[in-house]
Amino acid sequence: QVRLVESGGGLVQAGGSLRLSCAASGSTFSTMGWYRQAPGKQRELVAVIGSGGSINYADSVKGRFTISRDNAKNTVYLQMNSLKPEDTAVYYCNTLSKLGVSWAQGTQVTVSS
């Protein structure tokens, strides 16, 4: 059974930074990533990283967010800089493994103007 433990959300002023972490266990993970869902909106991709290091970012976060992973620790990180109020959302860690797609419970990120 896959277990995902997120940490790092919170409240920050516009222009500030936050770092999210997601520790995964229970399988071997090919793709790991982050999605977000703002109130009244659909869940959207933020960034994903493959086991070999290939990365995709949403256009809205390019140049501000950086995704990385530590394969030895099965942990994925999201460094978020130059945060904007429109980045306010619940951020969900997502993984793909032999056991399928797994989602964490989500962590709130709130950016005040």
Side-chain angles (χ1 to χ4, degrees), residues 61-81:
V61 307
K62 285 180 180 177
R64 301 187 298 122
F65 291 11
T66 302
I67 190 171
S68 61
R69 65 188 285 174
D70 183 333
N71 289 328
K73 296 181 179 179
N74 278 338
T75 299
V76 61
Y77 306 96
L78 186 68
Q79 178 66 44
M80 304 185 291
N81 298 330

Side-chain angles (χ1 to χ4, degrees), residues 20-92:
L20 305 182
S21 300
C22 175
S25 60
S27 187
T28 301
F29 303 94
S30 54
T31 302
M32 305 180 80
W34 296 92
Y35 288 70
R36 67 186 181 187
Q37 187 166 18
K41 295 187 177 181
Q42 290 187 331
R43 191 172 298 188
E44 63 177 4
L45 170 73
V46 177
V48 292
I49 182 168
S51 57
S54 61
I55 292 173
N56 282 313
Y57 291 105
D59 288 343
S60 59
V61 307
K62 285 180 180 177
R64 301 187 298 122
F65 291 11
T66 302
I67 190 171
S68 61
R69 65 188 285 174
D70 183 333
N71 289 328
K73 296 181 179 179
N74 278 338
T75 299
V76 61
Y77 306 96
L78 186 68
Q79 178 66 44
M80 304 185 291
N81 298 330
S82 301
L83 282 160
K84 304 176 181 179
E86 51 263 44
D87 294 318
T88 295
V90 178
Y91 283 69
Y92 297 91

